[in-house]
Amino acid sequence: MTMQQTPLLMSRILGRGARLDPNEEIVTLLENGTHRQTLQITWERANQLAGALHEHNIRTGDRVASFMWNNYRHLELYQAVTSMGSVLHPLNIRLSPVDLEYIINHAQDRIIFADEDLLPLLIPFLDKIPSVELLVICRQEDNSETSFEHTSFKNTQIQTMDYEDFIVGKPTEYSWPEIDENSPMGLCYTSGTTGKPKGVMYTNRSTYLHTVTQAMTDSMNLSSLDSVCGIVPMFHAMGWGLPFTASMLGCKQVMPHRFMDPARLVKLMAEEEVSISAGVPTIWQGVKSFIEENPDKFDLSRLTRLTCGGAAPPVAMMRWYWDTLGIEMIQGWGMTETNPLGTLSRKVAKRSHMHLTEDQQFENIAKAGLLMPGLEIEIFDENWSPLPHDGESVGELLIRGPWICSEYFNDPQPEKFHGDWLITGDVAKIDQEEYVIIADRSKDLIKSGGEWISSVDLENHIMSLEGVRQAAVVAQPHPKWDERPVALVIPAKDSRINEELILKHCVQMFARWQLPDEIIFVDEIPLTSTGKIDKKTIRSDLQARHYKLPDLRAI
Ligand code: ADP
């Protein structure tokens, strides 16, 4: 052996930023003002937290859950729990009590750290999660809201403790264990849009490699000079890995806590000189509407990059950010099973693209992107034969590599894998330039008369029309064609949009048989627990109100 076998452990990278730039800040938005602490204090508190957890008998591999917003204490958990060899399990606060109870029991969480204002969501099932011994409560930092009364869960077996009392007096240096790099460090569950939630157990090695690769200029283009604002919740797919990468680099981190409305987000980003942020398309759609209604109110001149993923962002929106504010939207594709990043798309992603016209560059950002180094991706037909990368062939998208899940936690589900490939559940094309183009989730594709219609393409095209705020396209059953598309549309404020205008706009891009059979104007479109358009709920709502396609109503 010629080279050292240093294990790839989170403890080796997470304290780096604090060491290099100790006085840089972690800023958390509060009801009135902000909470601020340095990188050094944050890392010291993470060391104290690890000491406290060790005293509570938390050992390698034990699951420690969080039920929290994006804030400095959640970051301390990200640093401490993963570095000490135990497993951080962020719980998605937007899941139903039934799913949460299932997930906590399945994960066998031993401790839950919860933000005080979220306790009412936990209380209904506290007596049904016997593995949990301790609930550590993170109190509101500002006294804007009355403290929560803890009496209501006195009769469970679970002890409670205040976060600050839990860590107080512990040494600010913890001796991180030398463990196997394949030991687990994080557990995330998919949001259960199809069946029971499934757990994905990340390892030190997988997340270490993901963290380092994420920072590359050709990936998310993060640097120690950045002020990073992760809007994607830290309870969703490890906040897309940003808390780890920013801790390693020594970025300023700006955390929105529970204040997720566009007005406060924009103000926060302006005041804290945020240079890069990340969130799902519905967030950026809301921020765009706010800026349009309040032009020039806030100075966003430091903001140069917005990472957008989790669902396909409309090109019109990406173009708007660039043309209006000079902000580059970086599209990312990934899933909980991929740690979570798989592909990324930048405005100019290759040297040979430097001379492309702006229109051509936007054609490229509209794609899910180029594969991160170290991963392999392929499209397959129904006989598992690989399809050509010609930008035309559409197949099941499969992926493999060092940060791709190889089985589900305590429930392997071999049918979700093909050999060592993960079956993503997406259908896609790969073009000659190796760009991945997601056509749809296989369950959302619309099958009309034996031909496929991409719901994503249709809704993104509808959203490029002025006067449309949000659109969602779903399949509805049809006796002759199997399925036909219908569109739900939220009009923008004061817009005069109507069905005729939308169909006229669609016909520029789509064949007539691909147009929605009806445009239904609505005030709201349901979103999933991760802020994506919830097509399953839309379909079941239509069914519940006995929706019939226009040409079936007379029958
Ligand atoms: P869930 O939404 O089920 O909780 P994830 O958050 O892991 O799970 O979502 C992963 C899925 O999100 C992908 O399989 C894909 O369908 C969709 N997705 C993520 N990023 C993109 C993107 N840039 N374009 C299109 N679809 C995307």
Side-chain angles (χ1 to χ4, degrees):
M1 208 170 290
T2 57
M3 304 303 278
Q4 301 186 2
Q5 295 290 297
T6 316
L8 309 182
L9 298 176
M10 296 311 286
S11 57
R12 293 187 184 278
I13 49 175
L14 293 184
R16 178 180 175 274
R19 209 161 49 245
L20 301 191
D21 205 359
N23 296 322
E24 193 40 77
E25 280 184 313
I26 305 294
V27 179
T28 303
L29 187 58
L30 302 179
E31 180 70 39
N32 301 305
T34 49
H35 172 279
R36 315 182 84 87
Q37 74 185 21
T38 64
L39 302 192
Q40 180 170 350
I41 297 288
T42 307
W43 183 242
E44 283 176 5
R45 283 168 55 90
N47 277 259
Q48 291 183 293
L49 176 57
L53 286 166
H54 189 85
E55 263 180 38
H56 263 84
N57 225 10
I58 292 294
R59 294 291 179 264
T60 310
D62 284 350
R63 264 80 70 199
V64 175
S66 58
F67 197 67
M68 298 170 76
W69 301 104
N70 290 16
N71 56 42
Y72 64 98
R73 290 190 181 123
H74 208 171
L75 180 64
E76 290 161 12
L77 279 156
Y78 262 64
Q79 296 181 345
V81 178
T82 63
S83 294
M84 70 184 287
S86 8
V87 176
L88 178 67
H89 174 203
L91 293 161
N92 183 339
I93 62 167
R94 303 217 173 91
L95 291 181
S96 68
V98 175
D99 277 346
L100 282 168
E101 181 191 320
Y102 169 82
I103 288 174
I104 294 168
N105 285 326
H106 188 264
Q108 291 285 290
D109 294 324
R110 289 190 51 201
I111 301 188
I112 301 179
F113 287 76
D115 274 326
E116 189 177 29
D117 61 311
L118 297 174
L119 287 175
L121 301 177
L122 278 181
I123 286 169
F125 54 88
L126 273 186
D127 55 347
K128 298 185 194 133
I129 42 176
S131 64
V132 178
E133 302 145 33
L134 178 66
L135 180 63
V136 181
I137 297 167
C138 303
R139 279 172 207 279
Q140 308 287 326
E141 304 74 2
D142 47 355
N143 292 321
S144 58
E145 280 177 24
T146 47
S147 284
F148 192 76
E149 283 298 332
H150 300 158
T151 44
S152 39
F153 46 89
K154 281 256 165 70
N155 37 11
T156 72
Q157 79 292 355
I158 301 176
Q159 268 185 33
T160 61
M161 203 157 180
D162 174 78
Y163 183 93
E164 295 303 323
D165 294 341
F166 188 66
I167 66 169
V168 73
K170 301 290 177 290
T172 52
E173 250 181 66
Y174 184 82
S175 163
W176 306 115
E178 281 294 305
I179 49 176
D180 186 323
E181 64 179 18
N182 288 308
S183 338
M185 51 61 71
L187 177 60
C188 285
Y189 280 74
T190 62
S191 47
T193 39
T194 46
K196 282 265 174 239
K198 300 187 285 289
V200 182
M201 185 65 99
Y202 307 137
T203 61
N204 276 267
R205 177 186 148 85
S206 74
T207 309
Y208 184 112
L209 291 170
H210 181 272
T211 305
V212 173
T213 316
Q214 179 176 42
M216 282 176 41
T217 313
D218 285 348
S219 299
M220 224 188 240
N221 187 10
L222 279 163
S223 118
S224 57
L225 306 188
D226 276 316
S227 169
V228 183
C229 179
I231 294 175
V232 51
M234 288 162 80
F235 55 72
H236 181 212
M238 288 289 170
W240 295 352
L242 280 171
F244 297 131
T245 310
S247 297
M248 173 185 79
L249 294 173
C251 305
K252 174 176 177 179
Q253 293 192 59
V254 180
M255 316 189 108
H257 203 21
R258 61 183 194 277
F259 309 104
M260 297 292 283
D261 58 296
R264 295 193 70 148
L265 290 177
V266 173
K267 183 166 180 281
L268 178 71
M269 290 196 281
E271 288 177 354
E272 299 301 334
E273 301 184 336
V274 167
S275 53
I276 179 164
S277 182
V280 291
T282 42
I283 287 280
W284 300 125
Q285 203 72 34
V287 166
K288 170 175 174 274
S289 303
F290 173 80
I291 297 173
E292 282 174 322
E293 285 156 24
N294 301 274
D296 304 322
K297 197 164 170 196
F298 295 103
D299 174 11
L300 289 176
S301 57
R302 306 289 179 125
L303 189 60
T304 54
R305 289 144 297 151
L306 294 180
T307 309
C308 187
V315 186
M317 175 177 79
M318 298 198 263
R319 188 110 213 196
W320 181 88
Y321 274 102
W322 179 253
D323 292 343
T324 321
L325 300 167
I327 296 174
E328 178 190 359
M329 220 168 216
I330 302 172
Q331 176 167 185
W333 169 89
M335 52 201 304
T336 304
E337 288 86 338
T338 65
N339 222 167
L341 289 182
T343 67
L344 284 148
S345 200
R346 306 220 40 204
K347 190 160 171 292
V348 184
K350 300 178 180 187
R351 193 168 158 73
S352 59
H353 285 183
M354 284 164 69
H355 304 296
L356 293 185
T357 63
E358 206 126 272
D359 283 346
Q360 290 169 321
Q361 290 174 1
F362 275 96
E363 269 173 37
N364 285 333
I365 322 192
K367 303 169 187 168
L370 300 170
L371 197 58
M372 288 167 88
L375 300 180
E376 289 173 79
I377 206 157
E378 206 49 85
I379 41 175
F380 290 87
D381 68 12
E382 58 282 2
N383 301 317
W384 297 115
S385 302
L387 289 162
H389 296 189
D390 56 8
E392 301 283 328
S393 313
V394 181
E396 280 275 357
L397 187 69
L398 274 64
I399 190 166
R400 65 182 175 190
W403 58 90
I404 308 299
C405 149
S406 60
E407 61 175 24
Y408 289 98
F409 174 62
N410 271 352
D411 182 11
Q413 307 213 11
E415 69 282 7
K416 298 280 193 300
F417 301 85
H418 176 67
D420 57 354
W421 294 92
L422 166 77
I423 303 172
T424 65
D426 288 337
V427 278
K429 306 174 203 169
I430 301 179
D431 71 13
Q432 285 163 343
E433 293 217 64
E434 288 299 307
Y435 275 98
V436 175
I437 303 159
I438 305 289
D440 219 329
R441 290 199 118 168
S442 41
K443 59 183 187 293
D444 293 334
L445 263 183
I446 300 158
K447 195 176 188 194
S448 175
E451 298 286 341
W452 297 105
I453 305 172
S454 158
S455 65
V456 175
D457 285 352
L458 256 181
E459 62 206 18
N460 281 348
H461 189 68
I462 295 174
M463 272 193 277
S464 69
L465 185 62
E466 204 168 318
V468 172
R469 186 178 181 142
Q470 187 72 262
V473 173
V474 292
Q476 284 301 294
H478 191 285
K480 177 165 175 204
W481 303 113
D482 259 349
E483 291 179 343
R484 292 292 307 149
V486 294
L488 270 62
V489 168
I490 308 179
K493 216 167 136 193
D494 304 328
S495 106
R496 297 230 185 115
I497 202 83
N498 58 34
E499 176 160 306
E500 198 187 327
L501 287 173
I502 293 177
L503 293 179
K504 246 191 181 158
H505 172 69
C506 287
V507 99
Q508 296 168 3
M509 263 287 272
F510 294 88
R512 286 208 173 265
W513 66 268
Q514 294 179 312
L515 301 191
D517 281 9
E518 185 169 16
I519 311 281
I520 307 172
F521 290 96
V522 293
D523 297 328
E524 233 179 304
I525 289 177
L527 299 180
T528 66
S529 62
T530 54
K532 305 182 199 184
I533 294 171
D534 188 349
K535 299 198 181 169
K536 193 174 150 204
T537 300
I538 296 175
R539 286 189 290 257
S540 60
D541 285 352
L542 289 173
Q543 193 183 6
R545 64 184 176 88
H546 307 292
Y547 174 81
K548 277 210 162 61
L549 290 160
D551 71 330
L552 300 180
R553 280 180 203 149
I555 305 169

